[in-house]
Amino acid sequence: MPRDQIFVGSTTIVLSIVTFVAALGLWPAAYELTLAKKLRQRFGERGARGFYLALSLVMLVLGVAILCGVRPSFAIPESDRSERSADVSS
């Protein structure tokens, strides 16, 4: 696995943990961000916490997918693409 893939996946998971802490309400500074203030005004405290929770879950899933090497077909490197086409034709 390439180092950059490990870096991006683990960074995404760490940010997921940070947003989960914000969703629990243990990091009040997160609710001072502009988007969180707008969500709080429109949907209340539960809406802002729900936003942070949803964001945390999405980032966790993305981080795990990155670390597992999941990627769309158009993002497969040229070297892997030729190997996969040889495997399919066999």
Side-chain angles (χ1 to χ4, degrees), residues 26-45:
L26 301 175
W27 186 38
Y31 294 96
E32 297 301 318
L33 297 171
T34 306
L35 180 60
K37 282 182 181 178
K38 288 181 182 179
L39 286 170
R40 227 160 133 186
Q41 288 174 352
R42 178 150 182 150
F43 301 108
E45 186 76 24

Side-chain angles (χ1 to χ4, degrees), residues 8-21:
V8 172
S10 58
T11 302
T12 306
I13 291 173
V14 168
L15 289 173
S16 170
I17 293 168
V18 170
T19 56
F20 184 72
V21 168

Side-chain angles (χ1 to χ4, degrees), residues 1-11 66-67 71:
M1 180 180 308
R3 290 182 185 177
D4 59 341
Q5 193 172 344
I6 294 170
F7 174 73
V8 172
S10 58
T11 302
I66 291 168
L67 289 176
R71 56 177 72 182

Side-chain angles (χ1 to χ4, degrees), residues 16-82:
S16 170
I17 293 168
V18 170
T19 56
F20 184 72
V21 168
L24 292 177
L26 301 175
W27 186 38
Y31 294 96
E32 297 301 318
L33 297 171
T34 306
L35 180 60
K37 282 182 181 178
K38 288 181 182 179
L39 286 170
R40 227 160 133 186
Q41 288 174 352
R42 178 150 182 150
F43 301 108
E45 186 76 24
R46 286 183 79 184
R49 284 183 186 222
F51 166 75
Y52 275 121
L53 183 62
L55 183 63
S56 175
L57 291 174
V58 167
M59 287 195 311
L60 180 64
V61 169
L62 285 175
V64 170
I66 291 168
L67 289 176
C68 290
V70 175
R71 56 177 72 182
S73 61
F74 62 83
I76 296 174
E78 207 50 55
S79 59
D80 291 346
R81 196 172 296 169
S82 60

